Amino acid sequence: MKGLEAMGEAAIRAGCRYFFGYPITPQSELPEYMARRLPEVGGVFLQAESEVAAINMVFGAAGAGGRVMTSSSSPGISLKQEGISYIAGAELPCVIVNMMRGGPGLGGIHPSQSDYFQATKGGGHGDYRLLVLAPASVQELADLMFEAFELSERYRNPVLVLGDGLLGQMMEPVRLPPEQAVAPPNRPWATTGARGRAPNLVSSFHIDPAELEALNLRLQEKYRTIRAEQTRFAVEDPEGDARLFLVAYGTAARVCRAAMRRARAEGIPTGLIRPISLWPFPDAAFEQVMERALGFLTVELSLGQMVEDVRLAVAGRRPVEFYGRTGGMLPDPEAIVERLHLLWEKVGVRHG
Amino acid sequence: MSDKVLHYCPGCTHGLAHRLVAEVIDELGILERTIGVASVGCSVFAYDYFRCDFQQAAHGRAPAVATGIKRVHPEAVVFTYQGDGDLAAIGTAEIVHAAARGEQITVIFINNAIYGMTGGQMAPTTLVGQATTTTPQGRAPERAGYPVRMSEILATLDGAAYIARMSLHDPLHVGRARRAIRKAFEVQLKGLGFSMVELLSSCPVNWGLKPIEALHWIEQRMIPSFPLGELKNTAGVV
Ligand SMILES: Cc1ncc(C[n+]2csc(CCOP(=O)(O)OP(=O)(O)O)c2C)c(N)n1
Ligand code: SF4
């Protein structure tokens, strides 16, 4: 199945019944899939007049208690930031997909990972966080859609699934879990018509500074809980002997897997740390390997964004190097291996 | 309406508009299935005054938020309450496309020819020659363009079933406004399409006028620029 179609089908099986979107390459197959499938299951697909409108439709639908999602790619996600901030402020559950392309500006249509800062550090205004999940295969694209809906509802927080154009277009076998029985989510706070109860209000507006601070403090408390409970990563270390670790997510992780094999064949004991939750960032992955690790090489389809979080996690204990390509160019496994050789020399270890 | 004391300035007709909408909702017996969408502007606290469910929307986006709500609850009665900065400036795209889609929502559009909440800047509806804090010499069309007549624009769209412009400057006109609001909600209840009532409303504070003068100003200055009446009633609602 194609990555984008797998995401769409997984979302529907996870009980998503509302999709509001606006076309942009390279993710238009996802709204197209939803336009075809949602009416078959009694859901609603609506092509909005803009990304700004689409995300505000998501706001309305989520506030009204619907299980809802939207998807876009980089320039479109920039437009959605207004609504995302409001959704985070009103604590509504929803899923947002960003299949990244190169920027800044109109950029290009080829895969990129240069929205990492925007995804993990805010993007819109205010002290808020999104849960950010980064799949690296078609199977993971599907699995993480299920997770995304579950997490967004558990924490009443928007969840961002961060992929790129390459993953979305990729064809791989995928096993989809069966359709979930879509119990109407229990949302006593939703606007459904105030029949037999006091009126509900869905809002992010707090004119009283003390009230707004209290909301923010409560949000931070929630983010701390998410940090404690939802860190996801995979450490790949085929022989359990790795001393250097590549760090990469999504498409970059796939390139790194090839580079890892090549480096190992050339005698450099290399492993791969693959963050799956980008926020919360999996510091634990680094603790797990710190004792045996001699150095880290972060690889991104950008000129260095996640590497800042890697440096924070490593906290100066080991060298952290960076290699990235951008604009839609893919990192070359050979160039990665070359850098591993340099790092291997630098950390002063001779294999043998 | 709730017992909350209205926060509007003395002589402001926002409160009157609220009362008319609330009365119509009660008359139609739909309070328990009505969901309101409050916009950004002086009416940002509208949800404090109505005893129905409410969502607060970003500046200009109320029609999109209302669309999301209505698509989840087609049986609900969904209305937005928006000022002219909200509806005719930052939210132009959202209102035009909600109307074009024939979205089954009702829009209450308060036209006071100025930005109230932010302190009297020019609105898209500001009259030619009208002084505001950002047109201190009066709105000059060669620099600041002309007033936008949203009701006329929206009435051209096939999805719009009922569009009316009414005024709140005297009891006779208030009665007409009330009937128009009722029709607009009835259009939604019958599933006929998008409905909107534009209400010419006072902002004595930012116009620099006494409350009574402000009502005269609506009659003498605004109505010639924004003619009253039903601009569209394809639905044949009586
Ligand atoms: C994105 C954004 N831009 C600007 C503002 C500031 N703002 C608040 S109210 C307002 C004008 C509202 O005017 P109008 O819609 O005419 O309503 P009124 O206050 O006159 O009732 C503006 C510009 C905002 N809240 N959000
Ligand atoms: S500023 Fe104007 S519109 Fe706002 S409450 Fe006062 S009089 Fe009414």
Side-chain angles (χ1 to χ4, degrees), chain B residues 108-171:
Chain B
I108 307 299
F109 169 34
I110 303 297
N111 178 356
N112 56 16
I114 205 155
Y115 284 12
M117 190 192 208
T118 43
Q121 298 85 4
M122 183 185 77
T125 45
T126 291
L127 304 180
V128 170
Q130 183 185 340
T132 71
T133 58
T134 47
T135 54
Q137 291 88 24
R139 182 178 194 165
E142 62 278 16
R143 286 196 299 276
Y146 294 89
V148 176
R149 283 186 271 274
M150 286 308 290
S151 287
E152 282 80 352
I153 292 172
L154 297 183
T156 65
L157 299 170
D158 292 345
Y162 182 77
I163 305 282
R165 183 187 289 117
M166 299 290 157
S167 171
L168 300 176
H169 71 275
D170 69 21

Side-chain angles (χ1 to χ4, degrees), chain A residues 18 46 49 52-53 56-57 59-61 63-64 82 86 191-195 197 199-203 205, chain B residues 32-33 35 44-45 47 51-56 58 61 64-65 67-69 71-73 93-94 97 101:
Chain A
Y18 303 95
L46 183 59
E49 62 271 27
V52 177
N56 281 285
M57 290 172 186
F59 181 103
E82 172 193 90
Y86 279 73
T191 60
T192 55
R195 199 169 294 107
R197 59 158 169 78
N200 281 341
L201 171 65
V202 169
S203 170
F205 186 52
Chain B
E32 295 194 328
R33 59 174 170 130
I35 304 171
V44 69
F45 290 122
Y47 49 76
R51 293 197 335 277
C52 59
D53 279 1
F54 247 92
Q55 294 201 28
Q56 172 65 51
R61 316 296 176 226
V65 172
T67 298
I69 298 171
R71 295 301 178 116
V72 174
H73 298 297
E94 283 78 8
H97 288 277
R101 281 194 302 272

Side-chain angles (χ1 to χ4, degrees), chain A residues 23 68 98 118 147 154 212 224 231 255 279 306 317 323:
Chain A
V68 56
N98 180 5
Q118 187 196 46
E147 298 261 359
R154 180 172 335 157
L212 182 54
R224 266 193 290 282
T231 301
V255 180
W279 195 89
M306 182 178 72
R317 289 173 286 178
Y323 173 64

